[in-house]
Amino acid sequence: MYRYIATRLIIAIPTLFVVSLIIFVIMRILPGDPLVSFLGIELDQIQQITAEERKALLAELGMDKPWVEQYAVWMGGVLRGDMGESFLRGDSISAIIAKRGLLSAEIAVLAVLIAWIIGLPAGIIAAVKPNSILDGFTSTVTVFFLAIPGFWFALLIVVAGILWFGYKAPITNIPPWVDPWRNFQMVIGPAFVVGVGAAAFIARITRSAMFEVLQEDYIRTARAKGLVSRLVLVRHAFPNALISVVTVSGLLLAFSMGGAITVEIAFVVPGLGKTLSQAIIARDFLMVQNLTLVYAGVFILVNLLIDLTYGRLDPRIRLTD
Amino acid sequence: MRDRVTENEPYTGDDVKVASSSRTFVARNFTKWYWGLRGFARQRPVSAFWLAISVFLILMAISAPLIAPHEPNKPDFLNIKTEPNRSDIFGTDQLGRDYFSRTIFGARVSLLIAFTSVALGTAIGGVLGILGGYLGGTFDLISQRFLEVLMAVPGLLLAIILVLSMGAGASAVIIAIAVTRLPTTSRVLRAETMSIKETQYIDSARSIGASPLRVMIVHVAPQTVASFIVIFTASLGTAILTEASLGFLGLGIAPPTATWGGMLGEAAVTLIPDWWMVLFPGMFITLTVLAFNLFGDGLRDVLDPRARGRI
Amino acid sequence: MDLDGTRPLLEVRNLRTSFFGRGEEVRAVDDVSFSLKTGETLGLVGESGCGKSVTALSILRLVPEPQGKILGGEVWLDGVDLLSLPDEGIRAVRGSQIGMIFQEPMTSLNPVLSIGRQLTETLEIHLGMTKHAAKDRAAELLNMVGIPDATSRLLDYPHQLSGGQRQRVMIAIALSCDPKLIIADEATTALDVTIQAQILELLARLTDDLGTALMIITHNLGVVARYADRVNVMYAGKIRETGSADEIYDTPRHPYTVGLLDSVPRLDRPKGSRLKSIEGEIPDLANLPTGCAYRPRCTYAVDRCAAENPPLAKVGDSHASACWEWPRLAEEQGQTVVS
């Protein structure tokens, strides 16, 4: 087990570095003028910029130096906790991310809870009574939720809230310890939408995993021992199915992270998603770069945790060396 | 599909059939396709239904200029944000443009981008997968590592930074979405290639001196077609959602062209979004994704039932 | 069948189980009747697909639904008809009065539960033992089946054991609640030949010592010859011949049995004599021919065989055969027939 953990850890760190490299390179390979993309300067105005002005502008962007140096400056800062300054208002990027990140983190945790609490039982029940009305219902709902764009669902909720209840959620960033109720109101909408979408995914996977597991020989053995159906399901079938489900969680995570971004924007919640959107519109490329790094980092970390959980759940991995 | 493999075919050299023209190809295969379709409809009626819906949507998109009642991009400042009524069945948006027409035209963009990007992404991913699976060695090692790292960035984010760096526009979006399709496609086809590689069929072709390239093109690739089709249809839904998300974020095709994601993005900007501006584009996105997904499920069941848990 | 007075432990009467799919009915168990005495070892023999496993599953009502269904008959275990019991009733029988061992030791144990857990389960549920008592008993059981270092083995997981060891664990599980009957369905087929012998010896010895009845289901005549008291030969869902082991091996009186025996290498045959295989193939159970299902492959077939299916008729003391031509067969086999 230790070797398993160690291998995973050792791979994660360089992966993060390579990802940062890729992000860096992507943001610099521009089939156009950097001034156009990054400063949003109109094409016809580009001709009128003098060489000196150009140099000054590029220096401002920090882009006059060779790439290697730019990368080193950036990563050096990141490792020290300083991600540079936002083009928008010159605020420290790290500070912005920390503050808004809290809200997004809350949403994430809540969404995960909702997803598993709804998704797992739904999948299990559907598998246990295949082709029943319940199964058909779950299937339909699942398929439906997998097709709905999260941000559309979110918008519908916002519109419905306004039209039917005259309700609009608060939009200023307030940490939970200052005003838990307002904080909750902001967080619950996105968490629900993202959570339900993820629940659909989980239900589907759980159903097919349970289905497969229930065909296995050891389930027949369990029944031959005279165990009650519920015991067979819970103690024998489910743990095995769970292993399969956890394995696929990484995919779910990627899906959800992207979804969370647009959902936050739809709900007008001041989290990282909104920050990203504003940075995109304002062409604040340093912010985008850093945010992507943060997202990727979190993604790699959570995947690591998923791998470790998987290792823990499956005795075949837990108990080798 | 696997069943065809078990015989050792004598190598006669004319194993590469070249269609003299695409017309002949269609004509020759028409009966085959017709009966194949009928069989499919009988075995999987639900899925066939969704195929019909998909075709309907595609036709709608293609004939947009013919069926749209108004110009999709023409503003009408006298009629801003009007609710749906008899003459504007989907209402109008913040610039007074007819929402119904915009929605229909939006289908064009979304479907075009979806098909192109998925075709591009799965084609390249597929080639990478087959090459890696067949050749193994350093090439495989490097390409696999590269794709793994690519997967370390969540899909939408990757698309975002790609589009940002390439400048918003149709080709950027297409390339961005195509890139997000690379890892999955290549992984599945690589695994498939590796198991095909072990069959006797391949051995006999190689023993007669067929070059690796020939073996891959003529013998391996055709056997992966089933998986490929399954991945293709499964990816369409995701592509549409990604394109919509990009449009929503303002990274899609530039305005004033109507795209479903963009329309939702514009609707979201106002403090109190108007319900018709939110409802209709999203409805169409959902319908399209649903149609492709459910049709794809049925297709997968028929072509490659083993893949049920995989994709 | 005459049974010299003592009530049998298990009595199967007119059992019928079929599988349904694609508009066809496959009669896996077609009017099967037999009995088993306390402590007796019965061999249920036949090729794959003859219905022997389904018979065993039907006894415990483990036939996979909805494709399979027990259509009729009775299964009497010590005076109780298992087929008419409510769900809790049959669950109480499974694992405690009847223990079952399956063919695939590699996949018959749950990979995520420890060996100890899989043993103590039945003890806790059927015998109401406490965790502690159950653990002790589990260690005892592992010892009994020949697994050394029992107490620490309880914490192991199936993947840490070999195939033979896993099957021993299965035997321990089957024996755990001191059942009256153990059904071993091809229990050794998936094991190495040397291990097969060990496992069979173990099973035979334990059931002997404990007085447990044993039903060995197998296609391997050698196994049955060595360990069984009585033998039932099945073909295409029906029992074709039944008798004591001696009767079956010394004086087989059904063409199928003769065919089976002839296809097995035997030390008591002259050296250099050829093995005879049975011509033809196993019939499609969904489309059985009229009359005797064995007729297409039978060298003794006459016209009557195509018209009427022969019932089991007494051909010896405790010996019955379902064949119209058994006297002729017996004569040609060189047997002396005592009418």
Side-chain angles (χ1 to χ4, degrees):
Chain A
M1 170 82 168
Y2 296 116
R3 199 163 119 175
Y4 178 81
I5 300 180
T7 333
R8 293 276 176 295
L9 268 173
I10 292 180
I11 293 186
I13 301 178
T15 310
L16 192 52
F17 272 103
V18 176
V19 168
S20 72
L21 203 59
I22 290 188
I23 296 174
F24 181 81
V25 167
I26 289 180
M27 304 266 358
R28 289 214 172 25
I29 299 194
L30 320 152
D33 198 316
L35 293 180
V36 173
S37 332
F38 294 145
L39 291 180
I41 301 179
E42 296 298 329
L43 264 167
D44 48 345
Q45 288 185 327
I46 287 286
Q47 267 86 33
Q48 301 171 5
I49 301 182
T50 66
E52 278 147 17
E53 285 178 336
R54 174 175 218 110
K55 202 148 163 235
L57 283 170
L58 283 177
E60 219 179 274
L61 283 176
M63 291 188 71
D64 52 336
K65 311 226 174 46
W67 280 14
V68 180
E69 204 179 316
Q70 288 185 44
Y71 179 72
V73 165
W74 176 43
M75 283 311 283
V78 168
L79 289 172
R80 272 177 294 132
D82 169 23
M83 297 190 196
E85 277 138 33
S86 151
F87 287 175
L88 209 46
R89 284 184 290 246
D91 303 320
S92 151
I93 292 183
S94 322
I96 298 180
I97 292 184
K99 182 163 166 228
R100 305 223 176 153
L102 178 61
L103 216 52
S104 296
E106 280 184 67
I107 293 176
V109 168
L110 209 51
V112 163
L113 280 173
I114 294 179
W116 288 89
I117 292 180
I118 299 182
L120 274 181
I124 296 176
I125 296 179
V128 170
K129 292 193 192 297
N131 305 320
S132 62
I133 302 184
L134 201 58
D135 181 27
F137 175 72
T138 320
S139 279
T140 321
V141 170
T142 307
V143 160
F144 191 63
F145 272 104
L146 283 173
I148 293 186
F151 57 90
W152 180 56
F153 188 25
L155 280 175
L156 284 175
I157 294 180
V158 168
V159 170
I162 297 177
L163 286 183
W164 298 340
F165 303 105
Y167 171 80
K168 207 150 201 286
I171 56 174
T172 44
N173 191 339
I174 297 180
W177 50 82
V178 166
D179 188 342
W181 174 233
R182 291 196 77 176
N183 180 280
F184 180 74
Q185 287 178 68
M186 282 196 289
V187 162
I188 189 63
F192 175 72
V193 171
V194 174
V196 161
F201 194 87
I202 292 178
R204 196 163 211 226
I205 300 285
T206 306
R207 179 185 183 274
S208 62
M210 276 297 274
F211 219 66
E212 268 187 44
V213 164
L214 286 172
Q215 315 290 335
E216 295 282 349
D217 284 341
Y218 52 84
I219 297 295
R220 183 182 54 178
T221 308
R223 295 221 169 97
K225 287 202 251 179
L227 300 180
V228 191
S229 262
R230 198 164 43 88
L231 204 56
V232 172
L233 276 177
V234 170
R235 189 189 288 167
H236 285 260
F238 180 65
N240 282 281
L242 190 61
I243 292 179
S244 300
V245 177
V246 168
T247 318
V248 184
S249 301
L251 197 61
L252 169 64
L253 183 65
F255 190 59
S256 304
M257 269 186 150
I261 294 176
T262 48
V263 167
E264 266 186 37
I265 297 171
F267 272 107
V268 195
V269 165
L272 289 182
K274 189 100 200 305
T275 319
L276 184 62
S277 160
Q278 287 169 332
I280 289 174
I281 295 174
R283 298 295 191 259
D284 184 352
F285 92 99
L286 195 58
M287 176 64 99
V288 173
Q289 194 174 291
N290 280 299
L291 263 177
T292 311
L293 184 65
V294 167
Y295 269 105
V298 167
F299 186 59
I300 292 177
L301 181 65
V302 177
N303 264 313
L304 189 64
L305 287 173
I306 292 177
D307 274 346
L308 294 182
T309 311
Y310 172 73
R312 186 106 233 304
L313 284 178
D314 189 341
R316 287 165 289 199
I317 297 184
R318 189 166 86 227
L319 293 171
T320 21
D321 49 54
Chain B
M1 287 249 177
R2 202 42 53 85
D3 299 328
R4 286 186 309 162
V5 174
T6 48
E7 300 146 23
N8 288 338
E9 289 184 10
Y11 190 76
T12 52
D14 60 349
D15 47 343
V16 182
K17 290 186 177 62
V18 179
S20 48
S21 73
S22 51
R23 224 158 164 218
T24 331
F25 178 69
V26 172
R28 243 188 244 152
N29 289 295
F30 180 70
T31 345
K32 204 185 346 166
W33 289 359
Y34 175 70
W35 286 105
L37 205 60
R38 268 189 66 155
F40 180 70
R42 192 164 300 153
Q43 258 193 342
R44 293 262 181 284
V46 173
S47 179
F49 166 72
W50 289 109
L51 171 61
I53 302 268
S54 308
V55 170
F56 167 74
L57 286 165
I58 295 177
L59 288 176
M60 180 184 88
I62 295 179
S63 54
L66 300 172
I67 44 179
H70 299 121
E71 281 273 334
N73 297 338
K74 192 166 97 162
D76 179 5
F77 296 103
L78 297 175
N79 282 320
I80 316 181
K81 296 203 183 189
T82 50
E83 274 200 25
N85 50 58
R86 280 247 295 269
S87 64
D88 308 305
I89 54 173
F90 280 7
T92 63
D93 68 1
Q94 77 277 15
L95 293 183
R97 298 174 290 198
D98 175 36
Y99 227 50
F100 182 59
S101 307
R102 279 180 78 73
T103 309
I104 299 186
F105 270 84
R108 284 194 141 188
V109 175
S110 295
L111 288 177
L112 186 68
I113 293 191
F115 274 95
T116 325
S117 58
V118 169
L120 188 64
T122 51
I124 298 183
V127 166
L128 272 177
I130 294 181
L131 281 174
Y134 190 80
L135 297 174
T138 349
F139 176 81
D140 186 32
L141 206 63
I142 297 183
S143 60
Q144 280 311 106
R145 292 301 136 256
F146 170 67
L147 288 170
E148 256 176 45
V149 173
L150 210 59
M151 281 208 293
V153 182
L156 184 63
L157 268 172
L158 188 60
I160 290 176
I161 56 175
L162 281 170
V163 172
L164 256 187
S165 72
M166 288 188 277
S171 34
V173 173
I174 291 177
I175 295 178
I177 299 181
V179 168
T180 59
R181 297 289 94 217
L182 288 180
T184 332
T185 319
S186 110
R187 207 157 35 129
V188 172
L189 276 151
R190 173 178 178 267
E192 182 105 14
T193 306
M194 279 165 47
S195 62
I196 293 177
K197 196 171 139 183
E198 300 306 313
T199 60
Q200 274 189 322
Y201 192 48
I202 302 300
D203 272 349
S204 59
R206 290 169 62 200
S207 68
I208 308 179
S211 72
L213 188 63
R214 185 185 198 99
V215 176
M216 278 190 280
I217 297 179
V218 170
H219 298 284
V220 174
Q223 286 183 52
T224 58
V225 167
S227 291
F228 186 79
I229 294 181
V230 169
I231 298 179
F232 186 89
T233 42
S235 304
L236 283 174
T238 321
I240 293 181
L241 284 174
T242 314
E243 186 273 323
S245 303
L246 287 172
F248 180 70
L249 288 168
L251 281 174
I253 319 292
T257 319
T259 77
W260 289 335
M263 289 158 77
L264 283 174
E266 287 168 14
V269 158
T270 50
L271 203 55
I272 302 179
D274 295 295
W275 66 269
W276 61 94
M277 284 178 69
V278 168
L279 185 65
F280 299 114
M283 230 167 67
F284 272 79
I285 298 177
T286 310
L287 186 66
T288 316
V289 173
L290 209 56
F292 284 133
N293 277 355
L294 289 174
F295 163 58
D297 274 357
L299 197 61
R300 181 207 57 213
D301 279 349
V302 165
L303 287 179
D304 192 8
R306 295 163 296 141
R308 182 165 292 188
R310 236 197 288 146
I311 302 174
Chain C
M1 280 292 297
D2 226 292
L3 287 154
D4 67 323
T6 44
R7 186 179 70 171
L9 170 68
L10 177 75
E11 205 179 335
V12 175
R13 289 193 202 148
N14 311 109
L15 182 62
R16 281 180 303 124
T17 306
S18 292
F19 286 88
F20 300 90
R22 284 191 235 149
E24 292 179 328
E25 177 185 357
V26 173
R27 299 230 194 104
V29 179
D30 191 5
D31 200 15
V32 163
S33 305
F34 64 91
S35 61
L36 183 63
K37 286 196 256 205
T38 316
E40 190 176 47
T41 300
L42 172 70
L44 192 53
V45 178
E47 292 165 285
S48 348
C50 69
K52 43 195 207 297
S53 288
V54 183
T55 307
L57 290 174
S58 303
I59 293 176
L60 277 179
R61 280 164 55 178
L62 284 174
V63 178
E65 298 188 347
Q67 60 268 42
K69 200 160 152 45
I70 300 177
L71 297 173
E74 294 153 14
V75 175
W76 295 89
L77 179 73
D78 241 358
V80 178
D81 178 13
L82 299 181
L83 296 185
S84 62
L85 284 176
D87 285 340
E88 312 89 66
I90 190 70
R91 269 187 262 127
V93 170
R94 291 178 191 153
S96 82
Q97 298 195 51
I98 300 184
M100 191 150 172
I101 305 170
F102 296 98
Q103 178 172 355
E104 292 288 348
M106 300 308 270
T107 51
S108 293
L109 288 171
N110 194 324
V112 303
L113 295 175
S114 69
I115 304 289
R117 191 68 190 101
Q118 299 191 52
L119 272 168
T120 56
E121 256 186 328
T122 36
L123 296 170
E124 284 171 21
I125 291 176
H126 291 299
L127 302 180
M129 282 190 174
T130 61
K131 273 202 160 58
H132 198 75
K135 261 203 209 129
D136 289 339
R137 175 83 179 121
E140 253 178 60
L141 286 164
L142 283 185
N143 250 321
M144 212 161 70
V145 297
I147 291 188
D149 215 8
T151 335
S152 49
R153 282 310 219 178
L154 286 176
L155 301 169
D156 280 350
Y157 285 83
H159 72 274
Q160 294 170 288
L161 270 59
S162 72
Q165 286 174 321
R166 288 187 218 194
Q167 204 61 314
R168 287 174 195 262
V169 171
M170 290 292 289
I171 295 178
I173 293 177
L175 286 172
S176 58
C177 301
D178 216 2
K180 300 175 181 156
L181 164 68
I182 289 201
I183 304 179
D185 186 2
E186 304 269 19
T188 53
T189 312
L191 299 169
D192 284 341
V193 178
T194 40
I195 312 285
Q196 276 189 29
Q198 285 176 19
I199 300 294
L200 280 165
E201 266 304 318
L202 177 67
L203 201 49
R205 184 173 52 83
L206 286 173
T207 48
D208 243 355
D209 291 344
L210 296 169
T212 322
L214 176 61
M215 190 188 304
I216 303 182
I217 299 178
T218 177
H219 58 270
N220 186 331
L221 287 167
V223 164
V224 166
R226 195 180 165 87
Y227 297 106
D229 298 319
R230 292 188 56 78
V231 178
N232 288 347
V233 179
M234 272 186 86
Y235 184 82
K238 287 190 193 291
I239 294 182
R240 305 290 165 173
E241 190 171 359
T242 169
S244 71
D246 288 333
E247 283 168 332
I248 297 284
Y249 282 87
D250 292 336
T251 57
R253 288 183 174 171
H254 189 282
Y256 180 52
T257 318
V258 171
L260 282 178
L261 288 168
D262 278 347
S263 65
V264 170
R266 289 166 65 154
L267 288 174
D268 58 342
R269 289 274 163 84
K271 213 161 93 162
S273 55
R274 305 187 66 174
L275 288 176
K276 281 191 260 169
S277 61
I278 308 178
E279 303 253 318
E281 290 170 358
I282 312 173
D284 175 9
L285 289 179
N287 292 308
L288 288 169
T290 48
C292 176
Y294 187 64
R295 188 190 43 81
R297 307 169 79 179
C298 183
T299 47
Y300 293 88
V302 296
D303 288 339
R304 193 179 185 194
C305 302
E308 281 176 74
N309 183 45
L312 274 170
K314 187 165 155 132
V315 301
D317 283 336
S318 56
H319 192 175
S321 165
C323 179
W324 297 122
E325 295 291 299
W326 75 266
R328 177 162 65 97
L329 178 151
E331 215 179 290
E332 289 184 24
Q333 293 286 316
Q335 302 169 15
T336 41
V337 179
V338 179
S339 346

